[in-house]
Amino acid sequence: SAYVGTLKKFDQFDIQANLRRDVLDGYRLNSTVNEYQKNTYLLGLGYRLTSNYRLTATTSTGFRAPAPYEFVANQNLRPESNQSNELGVSYVAPSTNIRLVYFDTKAKDAIYYNPYAGWGEYQNMNVKNNGAELSVRQLFGATSLKVSYTNQDPVNADINLQQARRAKEFGSVDLNHQLGRYQIGGLLYWSGTRKDSDFNSTTMSSYTVLNLYASYRIDKEWVARLRVENAGDTNYELASGFNTPGRGVFATLQYQPK
């Protein structure tokens, strides 16, 4: 592969342009060995309305070649290619950072696992997703609050159904406080309902998970940390029939030379 990119600033504009070329030698498709070539790019534009407000727009493409284990199941898989577009507005001040982004993505020949095809195999399908994401960071002295929320519509276009294991809504709240050498905080994550598979009707319930954390800076090089994951011992699934970890407590000691 070969890659080139540039960043330019002039007046109130910021411009980013990237170009990449990939060549897969010996790529196999329909029992024929070929050379697969793909060009992908990213174009981004930012415009500063004021010292606090900024508008952004980005368009990009990408691709993913099938992994070796995916070929074991289906040697006729085509590489996955995608197109993504974003429009955003942000507000930045010394103690406040707010960003709102609208996104629209499409993937052609997305590589999907179908557990009901023979012994299970990977297939090419077309998918799309669009929605909006809001992120907020606010400082209140020594206290930091981060909030994020995403509302999206992930769809398998071939069968016109919600994509598996992707919620239409999810978000998080991260609150922490710095008290001298100590920092304490908590992260609350929430996800809406999700289908387990594009090929069955099983739906997994929404869930909320709370993680707690604390740290103590011993000196400039040593930090002790304590983390409690899934503090409420919530019972939830990311894949139907597979348990997720319950409450867990982790203690670490970090050394980072200065």
Side-chain angles (χ1 to χ4, degrees):
S1 62
Y3 170 89
V4 63
T6 183
L7 291 170
K8 294 291 184 181
K9 293 186 178 183
F10 59 94
D11 296 330
Q12 294 171 287
F13 289 92
D14 300 307
I15 297 176
Q16 179 179 359
N18 299 333
L19 180 64
R20 175 170 174 153
R21 180 173 179 81
D22 288 87
V23 178
L24 301 179
D25 289 322
Y27 176 77
R28 183 171 181 174
L29 181 62
N30 296 324
S31 301
T32 302
V33 176
N34 302 283
E35 182 183 83
Y36 181 83
Q37 304 179 15
K38 186 70 174 180
N39 296 326
T40 54
Y41 65 85
L42 179 146
L43 295 174
L45 177 65
Y47 178 74
R48 293 184 297 277
L49 290 170
T50 68
S51 59
N52 299 113
Y53 289 94
R54 186 169 183 260
L55 301 177
T56 57
T58 304
T59 182
S60 61
T61 60
F63 92 105
R64 181 175 81 85
Y69 68 89
E70 292 168 335
F71 267 121
V72 172
N74 183 357
Q75 295 187 7
N76 293 320
L77 280 178
R78 297 179 296 276
E80 173 183 320
S81 60
N82 59 71
Q83 170 80 49
S84 179
N85 301 295
E86 290 187 359
L87 293 173
V89 58
S90 60
Y91 172 81
V92 179
S95 59
T96 305
N97 192 324
I98 303 173
R99 187 167 186 258
L100 177 64
V101 175
Y102 170 80
F103 58 88
D104 182 89
T105 62
K106 295 180 176 65
K108 180 181 179 182
D109 292 329
I111 299 173
Y112 255 73
Y113 179 69
N114 184 351
Y116 300 99
W119 292 97
E121 71 174 38
Y122 290 86
Q123 300 175 342
N124 289 117
M125 307 191 82
N126 298 309
V127 300
K128 59 182 180 180
N129 188 16
N130 64 77
E133 181 179 68
L134 174 66
S135 60
V136 179
R137 180 179 181 182
Q138 180 68 49
L139 296 178
F140 304 95
T143 301
S144 173
L145 174 65
K146 299 178 185 178
V147 179
S148 68
Y149 171 74
T150 299
N151 186 299
Q152 61 181 5
D153 186 25
V155 174
N156 185 323
D158 285 357
I159 55 180
N160 197 30
L161 291 174
Q162 180 182 344
Q163 282 182 259
R165 300 178 184 175
R166 291 197 177 188
K168 289 190 174 184
E169 294 181 282
F170 59 91
S172 66
V173 177
D174 188 349
L175 180 65
N176 69 74
H177 179 74
Q178 189 76 39
L179 185 61
R181 295 187 178 188
Y182 293 90
Q183 184 187 61
I184 58 173
L187 172 64
L188 186 71
Y189 181 82
W190 169 82
S191 174
T193 58
R194 295 93 56 225
K195 286 185 58 184
D196 178 56
S197 170
D198 287 351
F199 308 98
N200 64 38
S201 58
T202 302
T203 299
M204 295 178 290
S205 301
S206 61
Y207 66 91
T208 302
V209 174
L210 174 64
N211 298 330
L212 302 174
Y213 55 88
S215 66
Y216 173 69
R217 178 163 289 281
I218 302 170
D219 56 28
K220 293 181 179 180
E221 298 180 330
W222 291 90
V223 179
R225 290 188 171 90
L226 180 68
R227 187 173 77 256
V228 182
E229 295 188 354
N230 193 3
D233 203 22
T234 302
N235 184 19
Y236 66 101
E237 292 179 322
L238 299 178
S240 182
F242 292 86
N243 293 328
T244 49
R247 183 186 299 112
V249 180
F250 303 87
T252 61
L253 182 64
Q254 176 182 315
Y255 170 74
Q256 184 175 358
K258 298 294 184 181

